[in-house]
Amino acid sequence: MEAPERNLALDLVRVTESAALASARWLGRGDKNAGDKAAVDAMRLSFNSLNIRGTVVIGEGEKDEAPMLYNGEAVGSGQGPAVDVAVDPVEGTRLLAYGRPNAISVVGLAPAGSMYAPGASYYMKKLVVPAAATHVIGHDDLDAPVGQTLRKVAKALGKDLDDIVVFVLDKPRHELLVRDIRAAGARIQLHTDGDVNGSLMAVDDRAEVDVMLGTGGTPEGVLSACAIRGIGGRMVCRLDPQSEAERQRLLNDGVDLDRVLLETDLVADDNVFFAATGLSGGSFLRGVQYRGRGAVTHSLVIRGKTGTVRYIESNHNWDKLMRVSSVQYD
């Protein structure tokens, strides 16, 4: 028997809550950069209070030319465990900017050296299923006929195929995928953005989504793997460059574009910590609710080592919080 260790996920949720409280002020105001900046600034300050020696592996990154929370940045107090850090201060910046559901703030931690670094890869093809279907899904299913894969998942879940709901990003690249899912007889939820949210919904028993399919962000895939290592489920994926320039950069770096990866390849240790807080609300995590002198947030918190999943509703009091907080929320 091991003595209980500190659950860093309960510290992480303060980081995602701070980002959510700061950025949700920009809900529906049409300025995705301002909303993202508010989240990044708040998240960076909040990290300073965490006793970790963190290195950002998945950050705002090269694609966003970020001045903070960039890949390779050191975060935390400089004391405590050495960890890899994955962040997305606003997953779904356009969702937040246009007041659409399912924007979230997300952070994952894993032991140093255990997190996959995507390098020049922006996109990957993904298949995500819940824990009950893990035993029927393997490397070959990423390229198997969609109907065949969905039938296996439906059987594993004890459902009819027409009961299955598939999360797909509503992008031109998925036109054929959508046709194949419909032809198989399954149902579809089309989302404009937010494939971390899609992965979370696919592995969470509370959500109505059963499967996530299609090509989305590579950083988002690593973030999703942090949650899947804790909550259970299976992710099968492969880098899927969407431009010749991206493809050539990966080949120049010696990356094997044919390699199929699992969630265990993206995060090699199950001693992971994950937190997500809702920004704009939706079917999965409710958004920030401002109430004059305070606010309410709703979060998902996962500790991988024990498989503990918590859903946290937090009531924030401006009068007390602003006495100690360096982030201006009210």
Side-chain angles (χ1 to χ4, degrees):
M1 299 291 291
E2 296 182 29
E5 298 173 330
R6 183 176 182 85
N7 186 352
L8 289 174
L10 296 176
D11 295 322
L12 277 188
V13 76
R14 293 189 292 111
V15 176
T16 56
E17 285 175 349
S18 69
L21 289 168
S23 61
R25 294 285 189 190
W26 294 93
L27 177 71
R29 295 169 67 177
D31 190 340
K32 71 184 185 73
N33 292 327
D36 193 47
K37 182 180 185 303
V40 171
D41 290 346
M43 185 173 276
R44 187 67 180 83
L45 284 171
S46 296
F47 263 119
N48 291 337
S49 66
L50 265 63
N51 284 327
I52 59 171
R53 290 176 289 128
T55 301
V56 177
V57 175
I58 304 296
E60 292 291 88
E62 174 189 344
K63 184 168 62 172
D64 300 311
E65 298 180 349
M68 290 196 301
L69 295 177
Y70 54 83
N71 298 344
E73 181 178 358
V75 295
S77 68
Q79 300 178 356
V83 293
D84 290 341
V85 180
V87 302
D88 199 341
V90 179
E91 207 252 337
T93 52
R94 285 183 295 183
L95 299 178
L96 178 66
Y98 299 118
R100 295 170 181 157
N102 294 324
I104 58 176
S105 179
V106 192
V107 175
L109 297 184
S114 65
M115 198 176 284
Y116 180 83
S121 174
Y122 296 153
Y123 293 96
M124 62 169 35
K125 183 178 180 181
K126 309 169 194 173
L127 163 63
V128 181
V129 300
T134 299
H135 66 288
V136 301
I137 296 299
H139 292 72
D140 294 341
D141 288 286
L142 194 62
D143 296 311
V146 170
Q148 172 183 309
T149 300
L150 293 179
R151 281 190 290 273
K152 290 199 298 185
V153 173
K155 184 177 180 180
L157 299 182
K159 295 184 176 185
D160 293 331
L161 184 53
D162 58 6
D163 292 334
I164 295 294
V165 176
V166 184
F167 179 107
V168 180
L169 290 176
D170 190 7
K171 307 292 183 183
R173 62 179 177 264
H174 291 149
E175 186 176 333
L176 178 59
L177 174 62
V178 168
R179 281 208 306 267
D180 288 345
I181 295 170
R182 287 171 174 163
R187 298 177 294 155
I188 300 175
Q189 275 194 12
L190 287 171
H191 293 254
T192 57
D193 298 278
D195 58 321
V196 173
N197 217 318
S199 296
L200 291 174
M201 286 193 281
V203 298
D204 192 307
D205 290 340
R206 305 191 323 164
E208 64 269 27
V209 168
D210 301 292
V211 181
M212 196 274 269
L213 272 172
T215 293
T218 304
E220 288 81 356
V222 179
L223 262 166
S224 299
C226 291
I228 294 169
R229 288 302 309 260
I231 204 171
R234 167 57 36 93
M235 171 185 282
V236 187
C237 54
R238 183 178 57 237
L239 302 186
D240 188 16
Q242 296 297 294
S243 70
E244 182 56 32
E246 181 185 354
R247 179 179 176 276
Q248 197 57 55
R249 281 196 302 270
L250 292 169
L251 290 175
N252 291 343
D253 290 341
V255 176
D256 181 2
L257 295 180
D258 295 322
R259 184 188 176 194
V260 176
L261 304 162
L262 300 180
E263 73 284 349
T264 50
D265 297 306
L266 299 184
V267 182
D269 196 307
D270 69 357
N271 191 23
V272 296
F273 303 93
F274 178 90
T277 300
L279 298 178
S280 59
S283 57
F284 184 57
L285 283 174
R286 295 174 66 183
V288 177
Q289 299 165 284
Y290 294 105
R291 294 181 173 174
R293 295 310 307 159
V296 180
T297 56
H298 300 85
S299 304
L300 167 69
V301 177
I302 301 170
R303 183 184 182 193
K305 191 171 184 178
T306 61
T308 303
V309 180
R310 291 178 170 91
Y311 299 92
I312 298 176
E313 178 178 291
S314 301
N315 289 269
H316 308 271
N317 182 307
W318 296 154
D319 293 333
K320 291 190 174 183
L321 182 59
M322 294 316 303
R323 295 176 196 167
V324 297
S325 176
S326 55
V327 181
Q328 190 66 35
Y329 295 119
D330 61 351

